[in-house]
């Protein structure tokens, strides 16, 4: 609760942005655009993305004490190439990966499990969670996330979508 309040308090209430939830979205409830929950979601998104951008800037241009002591790992890289990414992480801290850990990583990222909830990572198919945003969010919501998070997205090499058709293109 304390952390949530910090995020909400850090949001400037004088700044008006479009509601995060579409009026017809199932999470919007009876209030058009989601009401107060939009305020909290937007405030959290703004604070999280701003903080992430600062952290990534520090990682990309580290002070002397941080050089060689920090490694950024994208979730997508872990899902798409779990063994390679796991070996890089372990190598970074001078450890070797056991066959059991490799098996665990494969099972956690590409096992046979399934969940009807798009962001539930306990499902053993991480590729499903990887692209869940494409069906769970509207194009308007995606554009709003990109507005707030364009800095960390650019630093991590993510492309912005230009149309609703691009959202559905799983090759992007």
């Amino acid at each position: 609760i304390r952390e949530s309040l910090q995020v909400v308090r850090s949001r400037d209430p004088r700044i008006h942005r479009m509601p995060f939830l579409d009026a017809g979205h199932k999470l919007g409830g009876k209030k058009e655009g989601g009401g107060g929950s939009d305020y909290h979601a937007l405030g959290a998104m703004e604070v999280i993305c701003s903080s992430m951008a600062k952290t990534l800037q520090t990682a990309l241009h580290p002070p002397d004490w941080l050089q060689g002591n920090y490694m950024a790992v994208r979730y997508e890289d872990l899902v798409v190439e779990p063994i390679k990414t796991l070996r890089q992480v372990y190598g970074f801290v001078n450890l070797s990966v056991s066959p059991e850990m490799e098996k665990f990583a494969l099972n956690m990222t590409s096992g046979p499990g399934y969940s009807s909830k798009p962001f539930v990572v306990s499902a053993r198919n991480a590729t499903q969670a990887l692209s869940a945003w494409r069906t769970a969010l509207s194009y308007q919501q995606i554009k709003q996330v990109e507005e707030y998070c364009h800095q960390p997205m650019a630093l991590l090499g993510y492309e912005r979508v230009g149309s609703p058709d691009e959202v559905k293109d799983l090759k992007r």
Side-chain angles (χ1 to χ4, degrees):
I1 293 173
R2 218 173 308 139
E3 291 168 352
S4 297
L5 287 173
Q6 286 176 322
V7 168
V8 171
R9 285 184 187 133
S10 68
R11 174 91 160 84
D12 186 344
R14 295 167 294 184
I15 299 173
H16 178 70
R17 298 253 195 330
M18 69 177 130
F20 182 63
L21 297 177
D22 297 331
H25 195 278
K26 65 181 178 181
L27 295 177
K30 293 181 182 177
K31 293 181 181 179
E32 186 171 319
S37 64
D38 289 347
Y39 178 81
H40 298 297
L42 292 175
M45 185 169 29
E46 190 170 41
V47 170
I48 290 166
C49 289
S50 175
S51 175
M52 187 181 296
K54 290 175 188 171
T55 300
L56 289 168
Q57 284 291 0
T58 301
L60 293 173
H61 307 287
D64 292 341
W65 63 269
L66 188 57
Q67 288 183 11
N69 294 316
Y70 183 90
M71 178 183 189
V73 179
R74 296 184 335 161
Y75 176 72
E76 291 81 354
D77 296 333
L78 183 61
V79 169
V80 174
E81 297 184 284
I83 300 300
K84 177 183 175 186
T85 306
L86 187 65
R87 287 177 180 168
Q88 288 173 339
V89 170
Y90 269 62
F92 183 77
V93 293
N94 296 317
L95 295 173
S96 57
V97 183
S98 69
E100 292 83 8
M101 183 55 77
E102 288 181 355
K103 183 178 177 183
F104 174 78
L106 281 174
N107 185 48
M108 287 303 292
T109 56
S110 58
Y114 175 79
S115 172
S116 61
K117 297 177 183 175
F119 295 105
V120 174
V121 180
S122 61
R124 301 296 189 225
N125 185 346
T127 54
Q128 178 191 14
L130 181 65
S131 56
W133 62 273
R134 294 174 182 270
T135 56
L137 300 176
S138 71
Y139 179 67
Q140 178 187 8
Q141 290 170 317
I142 293 167
K143 294 307 289 180
Q144 194 167 30
V145 170
E146 290 178 342
E147 175 190 335
Y148 282 100
C149 302
H150 64 90
Q151 287 180 310
M153 286 177 64
L155 292 169
L156 290 168
Y158 296 118
E159 296 178 24
R160 296 174 89 162
V161 296
S163 71
D165 289 336
E166 285 184 9
V167 173
K168 306 301 178 210
D169 182 2
L170 298 179
K171 294 176 185 169
R172 288 183 50 90

